[in-house]
Amino acid sequence: MLPSAEKVDGMIFAVAACPEIPMPEQWMPWLIQSASSQLVDSDVDILADTLMNGLRAHLDFMRQGRIALPPHCIETIVTTDTGKEEMIKPSTALSQWLNGLLIVHKNVEPVWQNAWQLAEQKQANIDRLNHEEAEEKAANNEGEAPEVQLSRCLKLFTTLANIDLAYQQRQPQHAEQLSKNLPILVKQLPALLKDYTTLAGDLAGALPNQFEMFTKKEKE
């Protein structure tokens, strides 16, 4: 069976947000390989078109500086976990969406790391040329370090993707505090998804331009 619609959408979001978007033949099997033996060629073609349309939609939203998180995902539900206390949890749809995001992020982590290394090299070269400006930025501690931004984003995504595990890993008083803060965390999610995509865009700027690479190969 295919993953849920929300999980698939979260996976496509993470593909679109990757600093260097993988080719379809690389990322599509992550979504459909579990059902490939049950699908005929025509089904696969239709599914591939649907997935590509989803990717284009997410990319279009990102170009506009927007996040295409399904509205029904930004909800919380109250469940009785132990019979004694009510614990607030994200909607199942949101958990599925974030699980999809995290699955793809893990698969494309080498791409993020490569972009990170290139970005650091590029910034080091710029700092050498603009030594005084770099010193001023360091002295003023301008901006949040990119690795801190990414860590903060992934921490929230992971917490909301598996809230039961997050509660289990905390002391009772801390779990209760997390439950109380959960509606605020869910409301903060769109902003952190925006940070995630912005960070990916910044890192993408350090990657070699594909057109330039093609031109160089042609000249050789």
Side-chain angles (χ1 to χ4, degrees):
M1 294 178 63
L2 290 170
S4 67
E6 291 81 10
K7 190 171 186 178
V8 168
D9 193 61
M11 295 175 81
I12 295 175
F13 171 87
V15 170
C18 186
E20 185 176 14
I21 299 175
M23 297 298 289
E25 56 266 27
Q26 180 181 355
W27 64 266
M28 282 189 182
W30 302 338
L31 284 72
I32 65 176
Q33 63 181 357
S34 59
S36 59
S37 61
Q38 305 170 22
L39 298 174
V40 296
D41 290 344
S42 59
D43 292 334
V44 172
D45 290 341
I46 293 172
L47 183 56
D49 287 341
T50 302
L51 296 177
M52 286 303 299
N53 288 335
L55 179 64
R56 293 187 191 99
H58 275 293
L59 288 171
D60 188 49
F61 268 87
M62 291 175 187
R63 290 188 190 102
Q64 300 173 44
R66 300 161 62 196
I67 299 297
L69 179 64
H72 67 277
C73 286
I74 305 298
E75 301 171 355
T76 54
I77 57 174
V78 177
T79 60
T80 303
D81 188 33
T82 63
K84 299 179 181 179
E85 298 181 2
E86 288 186 334
M87 303 296 282
I88 297 176
K89 297 183 179 182
S91 65
T92 301
L94 179 57
S95 295
Q96 287 288 315
W97 196 91
L98 289 170
N99 269 294
L101 185 162
L102 291 168
I103 287 171
V104 170
H105 182 87
K106 183 176 181 181
N107 285 334
V108 298
E109 202 164 15
V111 178
W112 279 80
Q113 292 172 349
N114 180 55
W116 211 292
Q117 292 171 358
L118 292 173
E120 288 178 343
Q121 293 170 8
K122 184 176 181 179
Q123 188 59 49
N125 293 334
I126 292 173
D127 289 346
R128 282 193 216 98
L129 297 173
N130 303 281
H131 185 63
E132 292 183 2
E133 184 179 344
E135 285 186 339
E136 183 179 349
K137 286 184 178 181
N140 295 332
N141 194 26
E142 291 185 9
E144 186 178 40
E147 59 270 22
V148 176
Q149 292 182 43
L150 182 59
S151 176
R152 178 165 50 83
C153 292
L154 293 176
K155 183 177 180 181
L156 179 62
F157 301 163
T158 302
T159 297
L160 296 180
N162 193 343
I163 194 65
D164 288 332
L165 180 61
Y167 285 144
Q168 292 172 13
Q169 292 176 337
R170 286 166 169 78
Q171 295 296 326
Q173 64 271 26
H174 295 153
E176 183 179 354
Q177 189 61 45
L178 174 60
S179 178
K180 290 178 180 178
N181 291 338
L182 202 65
I184 298 174
L185 296 177
V186 171
K187 288 180 179 179
Q188 291 176 346
L189 179 61
L192 265 71
L193 288 169
K194 181 67 167 58
D195 288 345
Y196 180 79
T197 58
T198 299
L199 179 57
D202 292 342
L203 292 175
L207 294 171
N209 184 277
Q210 289 184 348
F211 178 77
E212 290 179 356
M213 291 176 66
F214 178 80
T215 304
K216 288 178 181 178
K217 288 181 180 178
E218 287 292 323
K219 289 180 179 179
E220 290 174 358

